[in-house]
Amino acid sequence: MPERTSKRLTTLAHEQVASVLIEGDVAIDATAGNGHDTVFLRRCVGETGQVVAFDVQALALANTEQRLRAVFGRATDNVQLIMSCHSTLVTHCETREGDVGAVMFNLGYLPGADHRVVTTPVSTRSAIAAACRWLRPGGLVSVLVYVGHDGGAEELGTVLALCDQLSPRYTVDHYQSQHAPSTAPQLFRIVRDV
């Protein structure tokens, strides 16, 4: 059962990620969406870090680039936007296994776009498993699962099953908003201990 929290899950996810990222880290936004997490990760890793953001939709990457320009006043050299599925993150990242400080996932669909274009259990399982392998000790994977759309409950089941099968070197915490219905989002924090 998930732990209940009075905090917004997006706020909690940002707090958790900020607690592990340091200047110069590598961070991945596995589902760029409208760019909120990409901008947040860029702030966390600073000028010397690197952020790689993925999305399958050109609109999402355009929105993310626009948000980056609005916040930082220019294109940022240390943010790479990749139009590809999050399951391909390992093939696109110019880093080594064990070098990533944090990876963020927001599963579901792009707000304001076609709700039929969604993340899927198969690609999500592959992407989260790869992200866990690429974490440095102390790094974390944050997975926010939106359950209320078609396929959302199945994707939640996939994330739960994957978390249950992780090796003992990972610690998993699971959260849901207080007084939330069963269709409300759920947050997973996966930390690599060693």
Side-chain angles (χ1 to χ4, degrees):
M1 290 297 293
E3 178 182 330
R4 297 291 184 156
T5 178
S6 60
K7 288 186 179 183
R8 287 185 56 168
L9 294 182
T10 51
T11 301
L12 182 58
H14 280 198
E15 289 174 358
Q16 292 170 342
V17 169
S19 74
V20 302
L21 282 179
I22 57 173
E23 173 87 24
D25 259 339
V26 175
I28 298 171
D29 185 352
T31 50
N34 286 313
H36 297 284
D37 288 342
T38 305
V39 166
F40 162 73
L41 291 170
R42 168 56 183 79
R43 283 184 173 135
C44 289
V45 302
E47 292 288 335
T48 61
Q50 178 187 7
V51 176
V52 183
F54 291 84
D55 211 289
V56 296
Q57 295 183 78
L59 175 61
L61 295 179
N63 291 346
T64 299
E65 183 173 9
Q66 183 179 17
R67 189 168 303 280
L68 286 163
R69 288 182 183 279
V71 171
F72 296 105
R74 59 182 166 75
T76 57
D77 295 336
N78 61 336
V79 178
Q80 184 180 9
L81 303 178
I82 298 174
M83 189 167 159
S84 186
C85 177
H86 55 217
S87 64
T88 67
L89 63 91
V90 171
T91 59
H92 286 94
C93 290
E94 297 176 9
T95 189
R96 296 185 325 261
E97 194 168 314
D99 281 353
V100 175
V103 183
M104 297 188 77
F105 291 83
N106 280 296
L107 305 178
Y109 55 81
L110 175 63
D114 186 348
H115 291 190
R116 294 171 296 175
V117 179
V118 295
T119 54
T120 64
V122 172
S123 65
T124 293
R125 180 179 177 79
S126 173
I128 294 172
C132 288
R133 287 192 309 274
W134 282 67
L135 286 180
R136 63 165 164 74
L140 75 79
V141 174
S142 173
V143 184
L144 190 52
V145 183
Y146 290 88
V147 183
H149 62 88
D150 286 344
E154 182 183 355
E155 195 162 40
L156 174 62
T158 297
V159 173
L160 282 165
L162 174 64
C163 288
D164 286 344
Q165 296 165 2
L166 286 172
S167 79
R169 74 178 180 175
Y170 298 97
T171 299
V172 178
D173 296 308
H174 181 189
Y175 304 91
Q176 187 173 20
S177 295
Q178 255 176 328
H179 313 297
S182 61
T183 57
Q186 296 185 32
L187 175 66
F188 294 82
R189 181 181 76 125
I190 305 167
V191 178
R192 180 177 171 183
D193 299 321
V194 292

